[in-house]
Amino acid sequence: MRKRLPIRRAKAANYSRFAGVVSIPVIGIAAALHRGGHLDTVALFSVLGFGFALALSAVVAAIAAIAAIWNRGAPGVGDAVFGLICGLIALTPAAAVTTATILYPRLTDISTDLDSPPRLALSQNRAQPDGHLRPAAQRTAYPDIVPRRFPVGTSQLYAAVEQVIEDKGWTIEAHLAPAMNDDPAVIRVEARTLLLGFVDDVTVRILPDAIGSRLDIRSASRLGEHDLGTNARRIRSLLAGVDRVLTEAYGITEVQESDTAPAESVPLEYEKLDDGPDEPDVPVPGDKPGQLEPAVSG
């Protein structure tokens, strides 16, 4: 009578499949909960760390299982390959962040105007409204991010910017709309990152200019020491949207750019309006109507 030897399955293959399958929803659910405001940032990083650790262990276990199967001929190669694929998928965000950290400069605050930047709204994570601008590093990394000049009035440019902000789904926190077509304007916005929903601050400033109006944009991260290129992409996206809206509305196809602006193009009266929420407004006789007002939802 022949005795059948038991088939030895690769336990590492089973574990790899389990860990790889579990790691994907752990990472995805954590991101969704944080974006919806149901998970704080500290807990998010803890859960993400656990998910990435699971994914990494799935990849290591899959490689070990495939090597063992190759040597002994045990079954389980399907489980090992499936676990390897799931682990690699789950590790994709971590790999993307690592790549962006290498490719992009260590910046968290980007502005089209580095000499007289628009002021940011004060937040719990930012004690000073001027943030952490690094002009030399930004000019080297993003030479295309400069002030833009448009041959339209400030009211038309303000309407175009507002439309683009609405299309992007950003939240307007405060704004100063131009009362007349040559008045300055400012919009302060909260924008969220695509995947994890981190809140960043954006300030749009519109000033009257010799050819029409000048647009400056500043985008800054509230958290972290590296924005992974997010703020530069956001400014470029907003500028591209404004170009599109103005082209559709007025047929403007050329946008004039300038690396610098004369100091007199920023009126003293406007600087008073843009000093930030913690500084009191002092009415000036003869001022035109309009203050930096909170946005009214609905």
Side-chain angles (χ1 to χ4, degrees), residues 101-118:
T101 303
I102 297 171
L103 294 179
Y104 294 101
R106 194 182 184 89
L107 298 172
T108 60
D109 193 349
I110 304 295
S111 175
T112 58
D113 186 349
L114 292 168
D115 297 320
S116 181

Side-chain angles (χ1 to χ4, degrees), residues 211-265:
I211 68 165
S213 55
R214 165 179 160 151
L215 175 63
D216 282 302
I217 305 170
R218 184 174 180 183
S219 179
S221 305
R222 289 187 181 180
L223 299 175
E225 298 181 356
H226 202 308
D227 68 358
L228 309 177
T230 298
N231 290 302
R233 286 193 297 271
R234 182 179 292 123
I235 291 176
R236 288 170 178 153
S237 175
L238 183 53
L239 290 172
V242 172
D243 289 344
R244 174 183 53 81
V245 171
L246 290 178
T247 300
E248 293 174 354
Y250 304 105
I252 297 173
T253 56
E254 293 186 4
V255 178
Q256 300 188 30
E257 301 179 357
S258 174
D259 291 317
T260 59
E264 60 267 24
S265 66

Side-chain angles (χ1 to χ4, degrees), residues 114-133:
L114 292 168
D115 297 320
S116 181
R119 287 182 175 271
L120 297 169
L122 295 176
S123 71
Q124 294 179 350
N125 305 99
R126 184 180 295 108
Q128 298 297 327
D130 285 334
H132 302 88
L133 284 171

Side-chain angles (χ1 to χ4, degrees), residues 92-282:
T92 299
V97 169
T98 302
T99 302
T101 303
I102 297 171
L103 294 179
Y104 294 101
R106 194 182 184 89
L107 298 172
T108 60
D109 193 349
I110 304 295
S111 175
T112 58
D113 186 349
L114 292 168
D115 297 320
S116 181
R119 287 182 175 271
L120 297 169
L122 295 176
S123 71
Q124 294 179 350
N125 305 99
R126 184 180 295 108
Q128 298 297 327
D130 285 334
H132 302 88
L133 284 171
R134 295 175 56 197
Q138 180 188 316
R139 288 191 178 101
T140 301
Y142 308 119
D144 60 307
I145 297 183
V146 294
R148 297 290 186 92
R149 289 188 165 103
F150 298 85
V152 295
T154 57
S155 295
Q156 286 91 349
L157 184 54
Y158 178 90
V161 171
E162 198 172 36
Q163 179 179 332
V164 175
I165 289 174
E166 182 179 349
D167 292 342
K168 291 183 176 298
W170 298 348
T171 303
I172 297 178
E173 293 297 309
H175 64 97
L176 169 67
M180 300 180 67
N181 205 28
D182 59 350
D183 285 343
V186 63
I187 306 176
R188 286 181 178 146
V189 177
E190 282 188 354
R192 291 182 175 271
T193 57
L194 180 61
L195 295 178
L196 298 180
F198 290 118
V199 178
D200 296 338
D201 293 311
V202 181
T203 298
V204 179
R205 183 179 68 193
I206 301 171
L207 297 174
D209 186 79
I211 68 165
S213 55
R214 165 179 160 151
L215 175 63
D216 282 302
I217 305 170
R218 184 174 180 183
S219 179
S221 305
R222 289 187 181 180
L223 299 175
E225 298 181 356
H226 202 308
D227 68 358
L228 309 177
T230 298
N231 290 302
R233 286 193 297 271
R234 182 179 292 123
I235 291 176
R236 288 170 178 153
S237 175
L238 183 53
L239 290 172
V242 172
D243 289 344
R244 174 183 53 81
V245 171
L246 290 178
T247 300
E248 293 174 354
Y250 304 105
I252 297 173
T253 56
E254 293 186 4
V255 178
Q256 300 188 30
E257 301 179 357
S258 174
D259 291 317
T260 59
E264 60 267 24
S265 66
V266 183
L268 180 61
E269 177 182 351
Y270 175 77
E271 284 292 349
K272 187 178 298 182
L273 290 172
D274 199 29
D275 272 343
D278 288 351
E279 298 185 17
D281 270 337
V282 181

